[in-house]
């Protein structure tokens, strides 16, 4: 397994990193631009967030469209950075339970794949050349989502409180 190739290599998933870099460049351009341009960027985060929700819904229905998640993430970060604090949808991001999960997001990132693999009954192989098993293929994808969400958040919060917080 090499860090330069494969499904989890940096070049393969670079589009996730590029979205954050693009947001930083857009914010810098908006700060340096004329006053009218700055106000257009800050108009409302709601269109950004609504577009992100549509992209995530499309990705949930069509898992092969996963690169759209990078664009959805770009839109959420753009809403928070370029148009902060205004709009109905943006207030959802201030919801306390969501903020608590955000604090434990690194733990959630670390635990979600092993937990979903275990819950779905699939096998995860790094050196196997056969096609990957699609985690969205079990008998009940809805049950996997619900159970996976509950389990992943619970384990992430426990991991955060036991390992990270101290």
């Amino acid at each position: 397994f090499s860090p330069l190739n494969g499904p989890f290599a940096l070049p393969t998933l670079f589009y996730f990193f590029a979205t954050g870099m693009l947001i930083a460049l857009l914010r810098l351009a908006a700060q340096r631009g004329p006053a009218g341009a700055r106000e257009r960027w800050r108009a409302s985060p709601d269109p950004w967030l609504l577009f992100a929700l549509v992209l995530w819904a499309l990705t949930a229905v069509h898992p092969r469209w996963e690169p759209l998640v990078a664009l959805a993430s770009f839109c959420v970060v753009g809403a928070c950075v370029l148009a902060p604090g205004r709009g109905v949808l943006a207030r959802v991001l201030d919801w306390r339970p969501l903020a608590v999960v955000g604090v434990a997001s690194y733990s959630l990132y670390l635990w979600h794949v092993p937990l979903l693999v275990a819950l779905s009954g699939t096998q995860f192989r790094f050196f196997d050349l056969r096609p990957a098993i699609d985690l969205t293929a079990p008998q009940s994808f809805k049950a996997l989502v619900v159970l996976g969400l509950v389990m992943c958040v619970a384990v992430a919060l426990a991991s955060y409180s036991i390992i990270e917080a101290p």
Side-chain angles (χ1 to χ4, degrees), residues 15-34:
Y15 56 88
F16 284 112
F17 294 99
T19 58
M21 293 183 275
L22 185 57
I23 288 289
L25 291 173
L26 287 173
R27 181 173 174 116
L28 187 62
Q31 288 174 339
R32 291 183 177 172

Side-chain angles (χ1 to χ4, degrees), residues 4 14 21 26 38 54 69 94-95 100 103 135 146:
L4 298 177
F14 185 72
M21 293 183 275
L26 287 173
R38 282 186 293 240
V54 168
V69 171
D94 288 334
W95 189 41
V100 169
V103 168
L135 285 179
V146 172

